[in-house]
Amino acid sequence: IVLPCPFHNPTELDFQGLKRMDGNLFGPSPRSGMALKHPDGRNSPTARRLRAVMALLGDPTQDAFASRLGVEKKRINNALVGYPISIEVAQKVKLALSGVTRDWLYDGDEGGLPVSLRDKLREEEDRPRRPQGVRLNDTTGRDRRHHQSLPAHR
């Protein structure tokens, strides 16, 4: 006669709350449920890919891009500063730019992209960004720091 025993199958063991000899808990460390920010932040691969999509769609601002996708600006901003793109935003990006795949958005896998789109996206991803904190003058397109009024000569 074999009696059911929870220790017979190691997958049924409950280690919750048990400590190892070194004092740490068994199992994976508990997560807070918050998404982890990429260490490269604004220069994370996902943020660069999302900026490439924005450029190809002709959306110069996060507001314009968020409006096009029908999401809140903070969802776009989070992705552009290094947090993961949500499934909802990824799906809306796919619908906004035909040919984009979630594999490319999340992992950079270009396998499913049409060749012409892949080349355009690569070009946009590699395009240098202007330094943070430098804003363009709305009327001339020049850096504001070069568009300062000079003192009048007397």
Side-chain angles (χ1 to χ4, degrees), residues 21-56:
M21 295 289 286
D22 62 4
N24 293 322
L25 294 177
F26 279 99
S29 60
R31 290 196 51 200
S32 67
M34 301 262 314
L36 297 177
K37 186 174 180 179
H38 193 280
D40 292 339
R42 294 178 188 280
N43 293 317
S44 72
T46 303
R48 287 196 322 267
R49 288 190 289 271
L50 200 56
R51 275 190 209 89
V53 170
M54 287 175 62
L56 283 183

Side-chain angles (χ1 to χ4, degrees), residues 5-148:
C5 176
F7 302 112
H8 190 68
N9 183 349
T11 60
E12 294 179 14
L13 293 176
D14 182 13
F15 289 116
Q16 187 172 2
L18 295 179
K19 292 188 177 181
R20 298 188 309 226
M21 295 289 286
D22 62 4
N24 293 322
L25 294 177
F26 279 99
S29 60
R31 290 196 51 200
S32 67
M34 301 262 314
L36 297 177
K37 186 174 180 179
H38 193 280
D40 292 339
R42 294 178 188 280
N43 293 317
S44 72
T46 303
R48 287 196 322 267
R49 288 190 289 271
L50 200 56
R51 275 190 209 89
V53 170
M54 287 175 62
L56 283 183
L57 290 173
D59 292 334
T61 65
Q62 293 177 25
D63 287 324
F65 190 51
S67 177
R68 176 189 297 269
L69 298 182
V71 298
E72 295 177 68
K73 178 186 169 187
K74 67 181 178 181
R75 310 261 327 257
I76 301 302
N77 183 62
N78 286 344
L80 291 175
V81 297
Y83 287 99
I85 298 175
S86 70
I87 293 171
E88 177 194 2
V89 170
Q91 187 65 30
K92 291 185 177 202
V93 169
K94 278 180 51 178
L95 294 173
L97 185 59
S98 181
V100 168
T101 64
R102 281 193 302 211
D103 288 338
W104 177 78
L105 277 172
Y106 286 117
D107 303 321
D109 181 0
E110 298 176 334
L113 296 176
V115 174
S116 61
L117 178 60
R118 180 200 67 199
D119 293 343
K120 290 175 188 175
L121 288 167
R122 280 181 182 173
E123 184 179 322
E124 288 300 330
E125 271 187 271
D126 294 338
R127 189 178 305 271
R129 295 178 52 221
R130 69 177 184 266
Q132 190 172 349
V134 175
R135 302 182 103 154
L136 294 179
N137 183 317
D138 298 336
T139 57
T140 65
R142 294 181 296 171
D143 286 357
R144 284 187 182 175
R145 61 185 168 188
H146 297 298
H147 187 67
Q148 299 172 358

